[in-house]
């Protein structure tokens, strides 16, 4: 292992619908807080999830981690579950609103399992970045997360 | 009016959900034809609609049409109706599937009213281009449309 | 020369300011027609000009035209004159408003000289496409132009 | 309030002209330092301003801050003042050159008022990112700023 | 079948290396014609191939063609052969230079087989568009092609 | 010098080919580790290198560093050597694999010479960011580097 530490970022795309709604609030409160995002029939987005990992650059292979391993993990743990779905129907959002902030935290929870799942003990999850539209994006760096990275 | 004819294109964005489903087909047929796009709870996209108009370049103003007029029209006739909605619940899709092909034709129908709505008798609707995701897009040039352009 | 005909498109970028204003109209008329684009101190854009040429694919070289030749021409005839300038001060706009429609026609006039300037007798200018912002673009195909292509 | 802290970023676009010029320097010095950006009639850009805020994810709403509130603030405090103007004529640049570095600092000053203006006592301004063209961008993280974030 | 005819476009990405070189020319001639693209060890690009098909919008399904069918075809006939290769080593370029013009013609030849391969007798290949870099792209519309579309 | 510190980022593009291969490993091991990137004839990419510098905003000029100086440096030290080449043939990669992780470190080594080469004693190299494709990118912040920034 070299002492050089690099970051690698990989982008994944999925299309999903959602509705921002809190059951314990009144319809008026929901409309006031979430505006058009509270539309009862939902709306949708092409989400872009970019995951960033850091780790030592392997002296022999010149790599932090094999992108093929990361792609397999993302396909199985993220894309198969989230692509072409309604986020409100997923187990991940049983107890919380389907905002992109919460989606970031859920992606952090999922990708925090990559280091163990692959054999990358030295790789750390650094950032989850989600683009909801071309105008707004969200980042989560694990602050306050109840899971290790 | 000059003899010079130019084209202008303007892009509008909206986020919507939809489900591809034909009521007169069986669940199995729907799933076979539409795959994951038939997911009962829907999914969604950030749609980009680009409308292209052509017309003589006005000798005095140097313009084909005023973009402010086009924006007002698009806000009232398209964005107010389509943004943050579920396409399947709109009147436009009572009788047809919410594919982007059909969405193109519906946009053509709407924007074909711009020339009259504004005072642009010499402006012609040339093209509706819709990007459903970064990977696929659709164009409609009015072929077979039952409305004038 | 082969019978195969292909199109090549090349993008050039320049940054310029401009003001939409017609001297023979009153200040009120100018403001009504051009809105905020009539602001007396101007505003500006990063313009993207894409020029499209067509021609037979040379059997030996596999090319329609040498991009190096096109780049030299564009540098000398376009970028050196238009980049980091105020369009309203250029000779090209002595007699017409600095709309992107008129800029397209001017680019067509300039690039229509490429075939002769290079030694590309069989190359035709097909299209000038200019993106003024990420939301609006203009195309000119030579309709009504007083110059050959 | 949850212990989870997320970042949200929102992009705003405006088109403006400017000229890099220091009155106390000679014309030759100005030309040497600023090159073609010193062109006396100015030039312009489509500026993209991305503002990043951080804060706790509200347990009930799942949000760091309401994007509608941020958009209203940006419209009133930024876009209404900067869009379709000449930066050199603005009060913000009475005493300093209209470089994008200085524009970043000015945007920091403005957006540092958002937390108070909205009722977001826990939201912090993290970053101002400005893209001047597709090739160069600038970031300001508040280092040395005489205003609180 | 409806009388409505729409176009659908789908983008595919592959990374490949190549060298522009004509064996029957001298090294000097090759260098003069192809410049740095003649570098003996090659160079490479992330190619984007966009294929455009037209056809009647099916009244029942609302589709011109099933994107899943097109993706399978493209994976098998294009990506498996071209991605992560050196274009100069492929059979397609035994007799011609690996310019993007020739790559367009080869893609046209391949995708002209889609209508038959799928069961889309009414679908026509309209255009092959290839982006070699963000600055230059090429289009081929079948002019002079020795194969049907 | 002001106390304000800003970051500036500049993007450079080059096209190159490469092959991931370690001579001391067997062909089978190489294929297992590098997959299709081990293809003996190589493949290629349009690389985007974004370099980020930080420094005090000069009170007089409003700039961290002159972009013209940075461009000259990048042209001479990076683009002239890397554009339209095969990375495997460069001195930089005599002893290491041509992964983008290693390319980042090499770019860090080169750009760490900018502060001295220009006369920017207060400018610091902050980050090298390289986009290999639209899907994956790499960052290096100098961690473990045997050169000063």
């Amino acid at each position: 292992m070299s002492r050089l530490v690099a970051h690698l970022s990989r982008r994944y795309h999925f299309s999903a619908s959602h509705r921002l709604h809190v059951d314990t609030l009144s319809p008026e409160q929901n409309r006031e807080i979430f505006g058009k995002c509270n539309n009862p029939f939902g709306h949708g987005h092409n989400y872009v999830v970019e995951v960033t990992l850091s780790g030592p650059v392997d002296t022999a292979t010149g790599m932090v981690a094999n992108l093929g391993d990361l792609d397999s993990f993302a396909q199985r743990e993220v894309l198969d579950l989230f692509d072409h779905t309604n986020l409100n129907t997923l187990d991940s959002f049983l107890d919380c609103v389907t905002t992109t902030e919460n989606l970031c935290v859920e992606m952090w929870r999922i990708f925090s399992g990559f280091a163990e799942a692959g054999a990358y003990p030295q790789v750390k999850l650094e950032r989850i970045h989600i683009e909801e539209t071309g105008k707004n994006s969200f980042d989560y760096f694990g602050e306050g997360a109840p899971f290790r990275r």
Side-chain angles (χ1 to χ4, degrees), chain A residues 22-127:
Chain A
V22 175
D23 288 341
T24 55
L25 297 176
S26 71
E28 291 71 28
Q29 287 174 308
N30 271 295
R31 227 169 295 131
E32 193 193 325
I33 295 172
F34 298 117
K36 59 188 178 179
C37 299
N38 183 241
N39 169 357
F41 302 104
H43 63 284
H45 300 291
N46 300 319
Y47 290 95
V48 183
V49 176
E50 186 178 74
V51 54
T52 300
L53 305 173
S54 71
V57 180
D58 185 282
T59 317
T61 67
M63 300 194 298
V64 165
N66 197 305
L67 289 178
D69 290 352
L70 184 57
D71 284 357
S72 304
F73 183 88
Q75 184 65 47
R76 190 178 67 238
E77 305 289 336
V78 176
L79 301 180
D80 286 352
L81 302 175
F82 287 79
D83 190 27
H84 280 71
T85 65
N86 180 324
L87 299 183
N88 295 53
T89 66
L90 302 182
D91 287 351
S92 307
F93 296 102
L94 278 178
D95 299 324
C96 66
V97 192
T98 56
T99 58
T100 311
E101 286 93 331
N102 281 336
L103 184 58
C104 278
V105 176
E106 175 64 4
M107 288 293 143
W108 181 275
R109 188 188 66 74
I110 293 173
F111 279 107
S112 66
F114 173 68
E116 289 97 301
Y120 293 107
Q122 297 185 285
V123 163
K124 277 199 301 190
L125 178 58
E126 290 286 344
R127 186 178 78 132

Side-chain angles (χ1 to χ4, degrees), chain A residues 10-14 45-50 100 129-133 137-138:
Chain A
R10 188 83 168 166
R11 294 165 75 83
Y12 300 100
H13 299 252
F14 64 83
H45 300 291
N46 300 319
Y47 290 95
V48 183
V49 176
E50 186 178 74
T100 311
H129 169 79
I130 301 184
E131 301 169 14
E132 191 184 52
T133 71
S137 63
F138 297 82

Side-chain angles (χ1 to χ4, degrees), chain A residues 1-16:
Chain A
M1 280 297 155
S2 99
R3 295 169 45 240
L4 301 168
V5 173
H7 289 57
L8 76 79
S9 298
R10 188 83 168 166
R11 294 165 75 83
Y12 300 100
H13 299 252
F14 64 83
S15 296

